[in-house]
Amino acid sequence: MTGAAGSSTTGARPKEIETAWLLTLAAVVGQAVVWVLGSFVVDPTGLDDMASVSGAGAAARQLALSGGVLAVVLAVAVKMRAGRGWARAVLGVAGALCLVAAATDFSMSGTGPAAWPLLACLPDLLTAAAVVPMFLPAARTHFQTRPRRA
């Protein structure tokens, strides 16, 4: 059963939260695809560039770190879906940063294939779009502070 605002009255998550969750999943999957393509496939590959500047070991550590960041974003998104307000704030900041990154990366890329800048920008735009439903009024009740135990 849903109320006038579209949120459920039986304890289910509001549709806005589910929308944000799906957009975040799409952003993480998209970022993983862009990460793999940019690191290993699209010339010049990120791995080759990093290895030539920092060495193979440092390049491998950087790739592992960037892959780890994707795992952390997914873990924070799980917490947001569970109703943690701090996770919504973290994802809000991440969405804003992704919007800035998309704007700067897109305006500075001109060396790759024509479709590459658009593909690489898509996960950042999805991350920014995921923030919008989290902050809509109908989603607010999902993030109400929970009573503290005595």
Side-chain angles (χ1 to χ4, degrees), residues 27-39 70 116 119 123:
V28 168
V29 168
Q31 194 64 35
V33 168
V34 167
W35 179 77
V36 168
L37 291 175
S39 297
L70 284 178
W116 179 246
L119 178 64

Side-chain angles (χ1 to χ4, degrees), residues 7-35:
S7 62
S8 174
T9 57
T10 60
R13 291 177 198 94
K15 66 179 180 177
E16 292 80 7
I17 298 304
E18 291 304 307
T19 300
W21 168 248
L22 292 174
L23 285 169
T24 302
L25 285 178
V28 168
V29 168
Q31 194 64 35
V33 168
V34 167
W35 179 77

